[in-house]
């Protein structure tokens, strides 16, 4: 770190890397030292920073941390080089393309006491941050169910993983994060209809450690773009739209019934609907601010590598369930059984 602040590097200048470059170039207290991309800066996305060919060249410049935004299959190789050099890292999600690779990254950074995190950006979405705070304060009471839908057209930027590791990892992480619970079982079905080697649609149901039911529908086969999260509990239902960063609460209404046949059924009726006015800052900027503060030793709510590992473990269980037609159980410690 210099008097001007932290020295940061970026690895990968693709569809996500260009946004990381933009945010890093304007981030208070951080200098974007250089970018690594073997293809160069053919689109002019490097924000004027030097573009290097190798990670080793970036490390040699002396950096405090790096953002890893290269293809998922390269996360482990790049991350291990950074850890060995004593450089912290913010790794795009998923943290690695295999459970074993994610575990090796956790060990490499934790054993050296380095700050490292995973870019699960939904944690920085204003609607979900507000939702999590409201759940923590008990506004919903006991939570019964979490349902997510993440649908849209095929993203041509993705070539090395399927929809489970690329998109469903968002929903797996945000569900565990907003509820503060771990997955204990998952059952899933997948299909591949686009002619690619990986799955492009998944439907999964599962259970969290407190008994909450979860349901995820994720695909690359819909012309409708949807980012929907609902959490239902004893006092009503929260619905978060992470495309618009809106959070709405549908409350239960206490209405008595004189119909004897229905008195035995403990149902609910429609009550008030509230759409909250919440500050809407760019999630990627918030993510970078939180990680910068963590590198500086300040308390920050970042997604740790160990939490990112857990998400990869659950994603692997989703794929295993789809391949075997069985429900896969996971222990709270993260070991599939």
């Amino acid at each position: 770190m210099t008097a001007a602040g932290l020295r940061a590097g970026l690895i990968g200048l693709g569809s996500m890397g260009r946004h990381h470059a933009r945010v890093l170039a304007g981030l208070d207290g951080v200098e974007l030292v250089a970018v690594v991309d073997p293809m160069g800066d053919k689109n002019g996305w490097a924000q004027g920073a030097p573009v290097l060919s190798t990670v080793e060249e970036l490390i040699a410049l002396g950096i405090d941390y790096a953002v890893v935004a290269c293809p998922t299959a390269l996360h482990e190789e790049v991350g291990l080089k950074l850890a060995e050099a004593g450089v912290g890292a913010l790794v795009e999600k998923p943290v690695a393309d295999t459970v074993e690779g994610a575990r090796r990254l956790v060990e490499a950074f934790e054993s050296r006491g380095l700050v490292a995190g995973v870019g699960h950006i939904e944690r920085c979405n204003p609607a979900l941050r507000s939702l999590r705070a409201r759940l923590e304060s008990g506004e919903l009471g006991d939570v019964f169910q979490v349902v997510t839908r993440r649908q849209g057209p095929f993203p041509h930027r993705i070539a090395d993983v399927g929809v489970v590791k690329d998109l469903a990892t968002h929903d797996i992480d945000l569900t565990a994060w907003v509820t503060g619970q771990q997955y204990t079982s998952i059952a899933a079905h997948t299909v591949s209809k686009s002619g690619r080697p990986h799955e492009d649609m998944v439907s999964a149901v599962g259970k969290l450690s407190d008994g909450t039911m979860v349901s995820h529908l994720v695909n690359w086969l819909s012309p409708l773009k949807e980012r929907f999260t609902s959490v239902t509990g004893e006092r009503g239902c929260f619905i978060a739209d992470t495309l618009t960063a809106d959070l709405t609460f549908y409350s239960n209404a206490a209405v008595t019934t004189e119909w004897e046949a229905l008195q035995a059924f403990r149902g609910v009726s429609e009550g008030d609907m509230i759409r909250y006015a919440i500050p809407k800052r760019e999630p990627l900027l918030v993510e970078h601010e939180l990680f910068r503060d963590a590198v500086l030793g300040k308390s920050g709510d970042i997604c740790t590598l160990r939490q990112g590992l857990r998400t990869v473990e659950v994603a692997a269980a989703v794929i295993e369930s789809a391949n075997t037609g069985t429900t896969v159980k996971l222990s709270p410690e993260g070991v599939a059984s």
Side-chain angles (χ1 to χ4, degrees):
M1 187 171 68
T2 66
L6 296 171
R7 291 170 58 82
L10 170 63
I11 300 161
L13 204 52
S15 59
M16 272 306 298
R18 61 172 175 152
H19 295 298
H20 284 294
R22 170 180 56 81
V23 173
L24 280 169
L27 188 61
D28 289 342
V30 174
E31 175 190 0
L32 176 58
V33 175
V35 176
V36 175
D37 196 308
M39 302 296 292
D41 185 18
K42 55 186 179 182
N43 295 302
W45 290 339
Q47 302 294 317
V51 180
L52 312 174
S53 298
T54 67
V55 175
E56 288 80 2
E57 292 176 83
L58 177 63
I59 292 171
L61 293 178
I63 55 173
D64 298 295
Y65 72 93
V67 176
V68 180
C70 53
T72 304
L74 299 176
H75 285 185
E76 180 186 356
E77 175 187 345
V78 170
L80 291 178
K81 288 180 181 179
L82 294 171
E84 185 176 353
V87 176
L90 174 60
V91 184
E92 259 301 335
K93 64 86 207 160
V95 62
D97 61 346
T98 66
V99 172
E100 295 74 20
R103 287 174 180 159
R104 285 188 286 268
L105 285 173
V106 170
E107 169 61 23
F109 283 93
E110 286 189 352
S111 65
R112 293 171 171 85
L114 298 170
V115 176
V118 187
H120 279 292
I121 197 168
E122 291 287 44
R123 294 188 178 208
C124 300
N125 188 284
L128 293 178
R129 292 181 73 81
S130 179
L131 170 57
R132 184 187 189 223
R134 294 176 187 281
L135 292 179
E136 287 181 337
S137 67
E139 291 186 24
L140 195 60
D142 290 340
V143 175
F144 303 151
Q145 183 183 51
V146 179
V147 175
T148 71
R149 296 195 303 269
R150 187 173 297 267
Q151 306 181 85
F154 172 67
H156 294 284
R157 62 184 173 81
I158 299 299
D160 57 343
V161 295
V163 75
V164 171
K165 291 182 179 178
D166 181 62
L167 283 189
T169 46
H170 279 301
D171 296 298
I172 292 167
D173 180 74
L174 76 84
T175 297
W177 180 70
V178 299
T179 61
Q181 303 297 319
Q182 298 281 4
Y183 285 76
T184 57
S185 69
I186 199 79
H189 293 283
T190 60
V191 296
S192 182
K193 296 293 185 181
S194 61
R196 299 172 66 253
H198 303 290
E199 78 288 343
D200 42 39
M201 176 179 282
V202 60
S203 178
V205 295
K207 184 177 287 188
L208 304 181
S209 47
D210 65 349
T212 297
M213 296 190 300
V214 299
S215 172
H216 305 307
L217 177 63
V218 188
N219 75 68
W220 281 330
L221 300 176
S222 171
L224 165 69
K225 189 169 184 180
E226 182 180 34
R227 301 289 185 267
F228 171 94
T229 300
S230 72
V231 182
T232 302
E234 63 177 328
R235 295 176 186 161
C237 176
F238 283 110
I239 293 181
D241 182 336
T242 53
L243 284 177
T244 60
D246 287 328
L247 179 65
T248 306
F249 178 59
Y250 296 82
S251 68
N252 296 340
V255 178
T256 59
T257 178
E258 298 179 3
W259 188 357
E260 184 177 352
L262 293 182
Q263 288 179 350
F265 175 68
R266 296 176 58 195
V268 299
S269 57
E270 185 178 359
D272 295 329
M273 181 186 74
I274 304 170
R275 186 170 71 84
Y276 298 102
I278 52 180
K280 296 182 179 181
R281 303 183 68 224
E282 181 186 2
L284 190 62
L285 174 58
V286 174
E287 179 180 274
H288 275 274
E289 289 175 344
L290 290 172
F291 191 77
R292 173 202 62 196
D293 292 348
V295 174
L296 291 171
K298 303 175 184 178
S299 59
D301 185 19
I302 67 170
C303 178
T304 66
L305 288 191
R306 191 165 289 276
Q307 292 168 339
L309 162 62
R310 177 63 175 185
T311 296
V312 173
E313 289 175 333
V314 177
V318 169
I319 295 172
E320 179 186 346
S321 172
N323 290 339
T324 62
T326 61
T327 297
V328 177
K329 297 186 181 300
L330 299 110
S331 75
E333 291 75 28
V335 180
S337 59

